Amino acid sequence: MQHLELKGEVVRITDPTSCKVGQLSIKFMDMEKQTKEMMIRYTLKRQIDLRRKGLL
């Protein structure tokens, strides 16, 4: 795992409900291609892990 410091803008916030958790959407600014690819890979791997655990 690697820590990143990036500039971003919050574009949407949804409140949690009784059947869903809240969500926060961020638009990242001035991100290098390599960093973007690394974040996409991490996100997809995390989604797969959560699906296997039955949490998504």
Side-chain angles (χ1 to χ4, degrees):
M1 187 182 309
Q2 186 176 2
H3 294 274
L4 302 172
E5 189 171 320
L6 302 167
K7 287 185 180 182
E9 174 185 344
V10 175
V11 292
R12 181 179 53 203
I13 300 173
T14 57
D15 294 325
T17 63
S18 60
C19 60
K20 279 187 136 182
V21 296
Q23 293 183 340
L24 173 70
S25 299
I26 300 173
K27 177 181 177 182
F28 292 103
M29 316 297 242
D30 304 324
M31 188 184 317
E32 294 180 8
K33 185 177 179 180
Q34 180 181 3
T35 303
K36 184 176 181 178
E37 290 174 4
M38 183 173 43
M39 286 185 68
I40 291 169
R41 272 190 244 113
Y42 172 79
T43 303
L44 293 174
K45 183 182 181 319
R46 184 76 175 128
Q47 286 177 347
I48 291 168
D49 292 343
L50 290 172
R51 283 193 182 124
R52 285 183 182 151
K53 293 178 183 179
L55 300 173
L56 191 66

